[in-house]
Amino acid sequence: MPFNRNFLFVLPAVLLSTSALAEITTQGFVPSKAVQTQQQGFHGPTHGLNTVKAVLDAGMFSDDTPVILTGNISHSLGGENYTFTDGTGSITIEIDHDKWLGAQVTPETKIMIHGEIDKEFNHTSIDVNYIRVMSK
């Protein structure tokens, strides 16, 4: 059987195409069968500040401390500022327009907010990074 010279041209093309495919699958392309339906990350109890009272009692060195609070927005203070209540107290929160992500909230809507304490000389508030609707 004579040696086929086309083999020398086909072999590198095959090798290159398989390495290119491997590169695509390892660089972010996920085949549809591998798509996960669960949310990723930890789901369980957290330590730290998780009530308005704890935030207000945190002291002067608590600026930028992460918090996760569950409660309701009782009313708007204008602009991006709102009053948030959770049964332990009330605090001003700031939610930038791009943080709502389409959520529609009323005073009866239970929400969870993730943010940081914003400690000023005479005022404490929460700068909200993420808002999640818990129930309507």
Side-chain angles (χ1 to χ4, degrees):
M1 181 155 98
F3 181 73
N4 187 345
R5 284 195 268 186
N6 291 336
F7 179 76
L8 294 176
F9 295 107
V10 173
L11 180 62
V14 169
L15 292 175
L16 287 174
S17 66
T18 56
S19 65
L21 180 59
E23 183 70 24
I24 290 171
T25 58
T26 60
Q27 295 297 322
F29 174 76
V30 179
S32 61
K33 291 180 183 177
V35 173
Q36 295 180 356
T37 57
Q38 284 185 334
Q39 289 183 339
Q40 297 180 16
F42 177 74
H43 298 280
T46 60
H47 289 288
L49 305 176
N50 59 8
T51 66
V52 171
K53 182 176 179 354
V55 170
L56 295 173
D57 292 344
M60 61 187 223
F61 297 110
S62 62
D63 192 38
D64 295 327
T65 300
V67 296
I68 300 173
L69 305 175
T70 302
N72 304 77
I73 295 176
S74 59
H75 59 275
S76 172
L77 299 172
E80 298 176 335
N81 295 310
Y82 304 87
T83 299
F84 179 86
T85 61
D86 72 349
T88 69
S90 297
I91 193 166
T92 300
I93 62 173
E94 180 183 345
I95 306 174
D96 294 337
H97 297 292
D98 62 335
K99 305 297 183 193
W100 285 100
L101 301 174
Q104 295 182 3
V105 175
T106 68
E108 292 78 31
T109 307
K110 181 172 234 154
I111 61 170
M112 179 184 290
I113 58 172
H114 297 241
E116 290 101 27
I117 296 174
D118 186 13
K119 191 79 158 172
E120 301 292 330
F121 178 70
N122 60 353
H123 183 73
T124 300
S125 64
I126 304 293
D127 186 19
V128 176
N129 296 324
Y130 174 79
I131 182 171
R132 179 176 163 200
V133 174
M134 304 297 288
S135 66
K136 295 235 175 212

